[in-house]
Amino acid sequence: MTDRYAVIGNPVAHSRSPEIHAAFARECGADIEYGRLLAPVARFAETAEAFRAGGAAGANVTLPFKLEAFAFAHARTARAERGRSVNTLHFETNHVVGDNTDGVGLCRDIEQNIGQPLLGTRILLIGAGGAARAVVGALMDCQPELLAITNRTPAKAQAIVDEINVKNMLRAVGLTELPKLRFDVLINATSASLSASLPLVPLSSFDNNALAYDMMYGKGLTPFLALAAGTGARTADGIGMLVEQAAEAFYVWRGVRPSTGPVLDLLKQAAR
Ligand code: ATR
């Protein structure tokens, strides 16, 4: 019997997840169907419940529903609890498990695909919304020397740090302190790129040979990546994270880990 999955979002028409999962399924010989499901903004739970009741096996959840998906799940994995965000739902009999594969997807892309180790590095995470919150735990698991969080609204960065309360490694950094610090890896987790705008990061924050990573993806460089490229930094957009979080979701659902390289190459070619 074909197992059914979908990505639920609003908007969702642009999502690349169906083609990514179709490629994984071909590679693994899995009999699945993976579609897109547009949920009205105020009706995530009804949409997800109808999909589940119709016999679906699971779903991915994208903007703006990751908090709603967290509330919808009956049980949650530790990594979903840490970020208070769910991007993967696993429908078991009478039971919905919420997971989050974004953080591990980001770290695998940086460490394995890009080849930038995170152990012992100085990381700047820019942004303190849902996207940033979802990846903080996984970044800490990679044991950087420092994980600094900066945000346009500083209190939100401080709130994440207070909540997680890991001394030394994790710190909120305000705009007056930022120019005094240099980082090996700078990650844009703000939604600024959506409006073609730039989060405030001084040029002096980019260390020699730094990696600038934008969790957004699309054609060409985002304003953040263009700024970074001007300092000589290496740049990467979030397409690799998208593929890696999908592979982890596929593993959660099916217990098989697909290879990500071929799909990533295809998507990168299409974006050129
Ligand atoms: P998401 O789920 O994508 O993280 P969000 O929870 O609304 O969405 O958070 C958006 C993040 O992008 C926030 O950190 C926001 O900063 P504020 O907390 O100050 O609002 C940040 N952001 C959005 N537009 C920005 C811009 N033009 N410059 C800098 N930061 C921006």
Side-chain angles (χ1 to χ4, degrees):
M1 216 181 76
T2 306
D3 289 332
R4 286 195 299 124
Y5 303 90
V7 54
I8 309 177
N10 188 332
V12 78
H14 65 286
S15 172
R16 314 298 299 266
S17 293
E19 60 188 292
I20 295 172
H21 281 278
F24 290 163
R26 273 195 304 278
E27 183 204 333
C28 300
D31 183 12
I32 73 165
E33 196 182 288
Y34 187 113
R36 296 182 181 85
L37 197 52
L38 177 71
V41 170
R43 290 178 45 204
F44 170 78
E46 285 151 271
T47 307
E49 178 53 27
F51 188 53
R52 187 194 72 80
N60 283 132
V61 181
T62 188
L63 295 177
F65 296 127
K66 292 183 185 183
L67 264 180
E68 282 89 339
F70 183 83
F72 176 73
H74 302 133
R76 301 161 201 116
T77 60
R79 57 190 180 180
E81 289 284 354
R82 270 197 312 194
R84 287 201 270 118
S85 160
V86 159
N87 80 334
T88 302
L89 293 168
H90 191 176
F91 301 147
E92 297 175 356
T93 321
N94 302 323
H95 195 65
V96 177
V97 181
D99 198 352
N100 196 310
T101 64
D102 284 330
V104 85
L106 171 69
C107 293
R108 279 201 193 124
D109 189 38
I110 293 176
E111 296 202 301
Q112 292 172 21
N113 300 336
I114 298 169
Q116 166 69 57
L118 294 174
L119 177 73
T121 57
R122 297 167 67 79
I123 305 176
L124 179 65
L125 182 64
I126 308 154
R133 190 178 278 278
V135 300
V136 167
L139 286 170
M140 287 199 307
D141 289 346
C142 297
Q143 301 190 325
E145 177 191 311
L146 170 68
L147 174 57
I149 309 181
T150 191
N151 192 44
R152 181 175 61 181
T153 311
K156 280 167 68 182
Q158 189 60 51
I160 295 181
V161 171
D162 291 346
E163 212 174 280
I164 296 177
N165 194 20
V166 175
K167 298 246 166 11
N168 303 325
M169 191 198 284
L170 184 66
R171 202 158 108 210
V173 173
L175 291 179
T176 44
E177 192 188 356
L178 202 51
K180 299 176 197 145
L181 301 173
R182 289 167 78 80
F183 297 92
D184 307 299
V185 179
L186 298 93
I187 302 169
N188 183 17
T190 72
S191 49
S193 305
L194 283 177
S195 53
S197 54
L198 188 65
L200 269 180
V201 187
L203 294 177
S204 58
S205 298
F206 294 84
D207 209 341
N208 296 336
N209 201 34
L211 171 70
Y213 193 102
D214 201 317
M215 283 167 55
M216 297 285 162
Y217 58 91
K219 279 204 194 305
L221 292 180
T222 63
F224 170 70
L225 293 183
L227 173 92
T231 72
R234 293 166 291 143
T235 60
D237 71 9
I239 197 77
M241 174 180 174
L242 177 77
V243 173
E244 293 297 338
Q245 65 77 30
E248 181 71 9
F250 192 92
Y251 177 72
V252 165
W253 290 327
R254 311 199 59 87
V256 183
R257 203 173 281 288
S259 46
T260 50
V263 186
L264 188 49
D265 288 345
L266 276 179
L267 291 180
K268 280 184 178 164
Q269 273 165 26
R272 277 194 198 116

